[in-house]
Amino acid sequence: MSLGHRSIVILLSAFAFSACSTTPTARKLAQDSVAAMGGAEKLTAIKNITMKDGTGTRLRLGQMVKATDQEAPADLKNVVDIVDLVNRRASLDYELNNRGFMQHRHEILTRLGDKPVGIEIVGTRPIIATTAGGLFSWGSQDSPEFLIRRNVVSIAIAAADSASETEQAQDKELNGKMYKYASIKTKSGEDVGLYFDPQSKMLAAYEVVDTEPILGDVQAQYILSDYKPVNGVSLPHHITIRKDGKDYSDVQFASISTNDPAIEQAFAIPDSAQEEATKAAATDEYSPMKIVKVATGVYQAAGYSHNTLIVEYPQWLALVDSPYTETQGKVLWRAIQEQFPKKPVKYVAVSHYHYDHIGGLRMAAAMGATILVAKEHEPIIRPLLEARHTHPPDELDKRRNAQPAEQTGSIETYEGKKVIAEGGQSLELYPVSFPEHVDPMVLAYASSAHALFQPDLYTPPALANGGPTAQHLLKAIKELNLKVDTMVGGHGGIGTFADFVKAAAPPASSN
Ligand SMILES: [Zn+2]
């Protein structure tokens, strides 16, 4: 360094020092916020946080009737979010009410030995285990894993440790109020923007890129309020999350506890899931899946909740739906490659865009499949396939951005009926409006087997209580003049058409 350069550095340092007296540095603000929360010693002594009795709303579930509809918020109640900062475990337990669809869900990222394992406890269905990425949630986040990286204690401590000692805070507006703003880079390399309240000194919000399972990279804002004393520190009881400028979740917690030994119960692996958890811990990607034969050349790949139809052609395969999570998509791909080692998947058709049915689509595109999409579904499916997924990168993002880029599948849209026929096998796709659930739902008919696949309208092999959607489905099948022998469920199993007809019958009058 020349003398001239050194004197400039000295001058700049002197300037920074003098400016300190008027504008706080990022480090000072971050340290003040930690002090306002109770001090670094008390915050670093927090091993786990339990946020209880939460009530609020959740959006971005993607359950709209039409792809272009505005989404209405679902209600959340009895929300319990737990994060174990020491062992990197997290749990989301809540009751969801989405336009009358009610479910008590509990998604747990726990550990078996030193391996992370996902446990899902939902309603009356069997408790299952997955690898960490196989968890699906409609709670305050899409996955409990977010709580580990996005909780206020970890962010506040990281800010006080790493915020710049020379960078001056800026004035920045958020929701009509002015804050002191600074940015940090966390140890894991993420850029986080921090908003400090100039009066209370508290951390009022932070923003960071979240990679959502469906939406991909989004600019996320975590807005913190209602700071109240908790065991010697002060923690926010109201957390509002916005992603890409739109409401995501908003939960008011009644109480919070720290270092509560009772959290061990939430992270215990239930006996009925022990065997499966052992399988999950032993592999990179695990989600329950089995391929069940429907008829010659037609199969159901049954996940633990959401399923895929497989139609076998002489040289290749066509699928309908790759649902739920990227992990389930990977497991599906592995199962298909084992059972049909010489047959690539040429097409994956989409029954509908509800987010729980499309979580594996990017994996399908990564593997080179053409994604067949009804024109009406394109407004949701195309951006999903085009999005970046960088934190961490998913398989499609990795392959597309490899040097040189690898070949991946693209989207192909169609209007009205679409038929994929070759070598005596055919799959017919019929978009039909079901305004009570989705408009349109694509009914998939494997004509060689006389098998009809759809999710959400009727769950085979139920014999009764199909309700209005089942009645509507029966009417649609008759209008399309399809000869159906077998119903293959996008949920549930495989049933006969005769049983479906019974289930679709209106309930007998009670008088
Ligand atoms: Zn649906």
Side-chain angles (χ1 to χ4, degrees), residues 65-375:
V65 172
K66 280 181 179 286
T68 50
D69 282 352
Q70 193 79 23
E71 194 173 348
D75 293 322
L76 295 175
K77 66 172 188 175
N78 296 327
V79 180
V80 182
D81 286 356
I82 306 174
V83 57
D84 173 358
L85 303 172
V86 175
N87 303 299
R88 300 186 69 76
R89 301 179 296 182
S91 152
L92 302 170
D93 190 345
Y94 54 95
E95 285 167 46
L96 174 93
N97 182 350
N98 187 28
R99 295 183 297 148
F101 172 84
M102 287 156 85
Q103 214 168 40
H104 178 194
R105 300 182 59 100
H106 188 187
E107 296 100 13
I108 307 144
L109 178 58
T110 185
R111 285 188 177 262
L112 184 60
D114 61 348
K115 289 290 296 273
V117 169
I119 301 289
E120 193 215 70
I121 306 172
V122 171
T124 53
R125 71 190 189 211
I127 298 171
I128 60 91
T130 66
T131 42
L135 287 176
F136 177 98
S137 181
W138 277 333
S140 56
Q141 287 278 8
D142 267 343
S143 155
E145 199 269 335
F146 276 101
L147 291 184
I148 299 171
R149 288 183 290 138
R150 305 290 185 244
N151 73 85
V152 62
V153 171
S154 299
I155 296 277
I157 293 170
D161 285 347
S162 61
S164 165
E165 291 178 90
T166 52
E167 187 202 330
Q168 323 267 288
Q170 307 158 27
D171 290 318
K172 198 166 173 182
E173 193 190 315
L174 179 70
N175 298 331
K177 196 179 158 183
M178 290 306 285
Y179 292 92
K180 294 291 177 194
Y181 177 87
S183 60
I184 58 159
K185 201 178 256 313
T186 63
K187 277 189 194 133
S188 60
E190 292 188 295
D191 291 307
V192 184
L194 304 151
Y195 293 82
F196 298 98
D197 187 314
Q199 277 85 45
S200 70
K201 312 288 184 200
M202 291 293 192
L203 182 58
Y206 46 92
E207 52 194 19
V208 61
V209 172
D210 280 351
T211 299
E212 281 281 299
I214 299 294
L215 303 169
D217 288 3
V218 292
Q219 192 67 40
Q221 278 183 332
Y222 293 78
I223 300 155
L224 317 167
S225 58
D226 194 24
Y227 273 89
K228 284 194 292 213
V230 176
N231 198 18
V233 296
S234 188
L235 295 174
H237 286 59
H238 187 182
I239 300 173
T240 303
I241 306 176
R242 292 171 62 80
K243 299 205 182 190
D244 265 358
K246 294 181 186 163
D247 291 337
Y248 184 90
S249 68
D250 182 284
V251 181
Q252 172 73 51
F253 293 96
S255 66
I256 299 180
S257 61
T258 57
N259 299 347
D260 184 348
I263 66 158
E264 286 308 322
Q265 290 159 24
F267 293 116
I269 297 172
D271 286 346
S272 65
Q274 279 291 346
E275 198 183 318
E276 204 157 55
T278 305
K279 279 190 220 167
T283 177
D284 286 348
E285 299 285 353
Y286 179 79
S287 186
M289 164 83 53
K290 60 178 192 288
I291 295 182
V292 184
K293 187 172 179 178
V294 177
T296 303
V298 179
Y299 304 82
Q300 181 198 47
Y304 63 91
S305 166
H306 291 62
N307 310 327
T308 294
L309 180 74
I310 302 173
V311 181
E312 185 181 11
Y313 292 78
Q315 310 290 332
W316 40 267
L317 308 171
L319 312 187
V320 183
D321 283 350
S322 183
Y324 232 25
T325 58
E326 189 187 42
T327 295
Q328 181 166 329
K330 286 181 175 171
V331 170
L332 171 66
W333 231 260
R334 196 168 57 204
I336 285 173
Q337 283 170 340
E338 275 169 21
Q339 187 153 344
F340 309 96
K342 297 209 164 69
K343 296 194 177 178
V345 176
K346 190 169 180 184
Y347 297 108
V348 177
V350 177
S351 68
H352 70 311
Y353 47 75
H354 288 172
Y355 288 0
D356 52 320
H357 290 276
I358 57 176
L361 269 193
R362 285 177 58 92
M363 181 61 196
M367 298 306 287
T370 295
I371 312 299
L372 274 181
V373 174
K375 190 78 190 150

Side-chain angles (χ1 to χ4, degrees), residues 63 352 354 356-357 437-438 441 455-456:
Q63 300 293 311
H352 70 311
H354 288 172
D356 52 320
H357 290 276
H437 187 77
V438 68
M441 174 71 84
D456 295 347

Side-chain angles (χ1 to χ4, degrees), residues 420-440:
I420 306 161
E422 195 174 288
Q425 181 64 289
S426 94
L427 173 65
E428 301 174 9
L429 303 170
Y430 296 94
V432 178
S433 172
F434 286 88
E436 62 274 50
H437 187 77
V438 68
D439 182 10

